[in-house]
Amino acid sequence: MDDTKQFIDKLHDKQQKDEQNRQRQGKGHPEKKLPNKQH
């Protein structure tokens, strides 16, 4: 039972990070994409 809860928590954490990365990289919204550092 504990393993299942751990797995679910890890999965949700990964999904949240994936979503944040998608937003940062502007998937589907190129105008929202953050500029790359150029230095």
Side-chain angles (χ1 to χ4, degrees):
M1 182 68 190
D2 196 38
D3 286 343
T4 306
K5 185 181 183 328
Q6 261 182 332
F7 173 75
I8 299 289
D9 288 344
K10 199 179 292 185
L11 184 68
H12 285 165
D13 190 44
K14 183 182 183 315
Q15 285 175 336
Q16 187 178 10
K17 286 178 183 175
D18 285 348
E19 182 59 33
Q20 287 172 350
N21 283 338
R22 259 186 233 112
Q23 288 175 355
R24 283 193 196 101
Q25 291 165 13
K27 294 280 188 217
H29 299 282
E31 72 280 358
K32 292 184 182 176
K33 186 173 181 181
L34 294 179
N36 291 332
K37 291 183 181 176
Q38 297 188 357
H39 60 88

